[in-house]
């Protein structure tokens, strides 16, 4: 118990320090969504040493949309690291022309054809469709995977 608690405290300190450095580099980038995604994704990435490139170019999203984006990023990152053996995961969340796009790409081993409809991916697709959007997956053996998750802005964005 005590060793685990010390490790957890130490990890929390490291995450806080990383966050402080990120905030110092560019306050403007420290959107609530960025902090939520870092909190959710860092624990997924840490065990594998995978790197995260996170770009957010979207104003503050309403909670319902943020929840979907967070779930999609968690699932996509988890798949990239656990199944795809990726060492780099890039995520861009961009709102442009009244369409919100979440682009998740990795440098992993790619998706076997049979996994295109695996539960996690199907959940991601269902989330997009429930919001009037869609999800496309591009994957090549040993050349990584890219997921493009898009939803239209239907009254929730400026």
């Amino acid at each position: 118990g005590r060793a685990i608690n010390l490790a957890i405290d130490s990890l929390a300190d490291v995450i806080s320090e990383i966050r402080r450095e990120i905030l110092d580099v560019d306050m403007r980038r420290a959107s609530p969504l960025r902090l939520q995604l870092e909190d959710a994704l860092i624990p997924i990435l840490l065990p594998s040493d995978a790197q995260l490139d996170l770009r957010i170019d979207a104003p503050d999203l309403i909670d319902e949309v943020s929840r979907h984006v967070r779930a999609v990023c968690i699932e996509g990152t988890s798949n990239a690291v656990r199944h795809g053996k990726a060492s780099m995961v890039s995520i861009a969340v961009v709102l442009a022309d009244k369409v919100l796009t979440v682009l998740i790409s990795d440098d992993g081993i790619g998706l076997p054809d049979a996994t295109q409809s695996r539960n996690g991916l199907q959940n991601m697709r269902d989330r997009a469709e429930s919001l009037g959007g869609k999800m496309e997956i591009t994957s090549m053996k040993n050349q990584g995977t890219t997921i493009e998750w898009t939803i239209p802005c239907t009254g929730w964005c400026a």
Side-chain angles (χ1 to χ4, degrees):
R2 191 170 182 307
I4 289 173
N5 287 340
L6 281 172
I8 290 170
D9 289 345
S10 169
L11 196 54
D13 291 346
V14 168
I15 291 172
S16 295
E17 184 60 35
I18 290 169
R19 177 163 300 126
R20 263 193 303 281
E21 285 180 26
I22 289 169
L23 293 179
D24 288 346
V25 169
D26 190 351
M27 279 305 291
R28 176 180 62 76
R29 290 166 47 206
S31 66
L33 181 61
R34 170 176 288 279
L35 297 179
Q36 289 172 9
L37 289 176
E38 287 172 354
D39 276 344
L41 301 179
I42 287 172
I44 297 170
L45 295 159
L46 275 176
S48 70
D49 252 354
Q51 299 298 302
L52 174 65
D53 175 25
L54 180 58
R55 182 167 79 88
I56 297 178
D57 189 3
D60 293 344
L61 303 172
I62 63 168
D63 287 348
E64 183 200 357
V65 173
S66 283
R67 273 198 305 277
H68 285 294
V69 168
R70 197 163 56 242
V72 164
C73 289
I74 289 169
E75 183 66 36
T77 300
S78 180
N79 286 345
V81 172
R82 294 195 183 125
H83 305 297
K85 317 261 186 285
S87 62
M88 181 70 183
V89 180
S90 297
I91 298 177
V93 180
V94 179
L95 180 63
D97 301 326
K98 297 217 177 284
V99 174
L100 181 72
T101 301
V102 179
L103 199 63
I104 305 170
S105 50
D106 68 64
D107 64 353
I109 60 174
L111 271 179
D113 295 337
T115 59
Q116 292 268 354
S117 60
R118 199 175 56 226
N119 285 345
L121 292 171
Q122 190 57 50
N123 290 345
M124 293 166 73
R125 185 171 273 117
D126 291 346
R127 284 177 185 278
E129 290 171 358
S130 75
L131 297 166
K134 62 185 176 15
M135 184 176 93
E136 293 172 10
I137 302 173
T138 311
S139 184
M140 289 177 67
K141 189 171 170 57
N142 298 321
Q143 292 184 35
T145 299
T146 298
I147 294 172
E148 186 173 1
W149 188 91
T150 55
I151 59 169
C153 174
T154 48
W156 49 262
C157 68

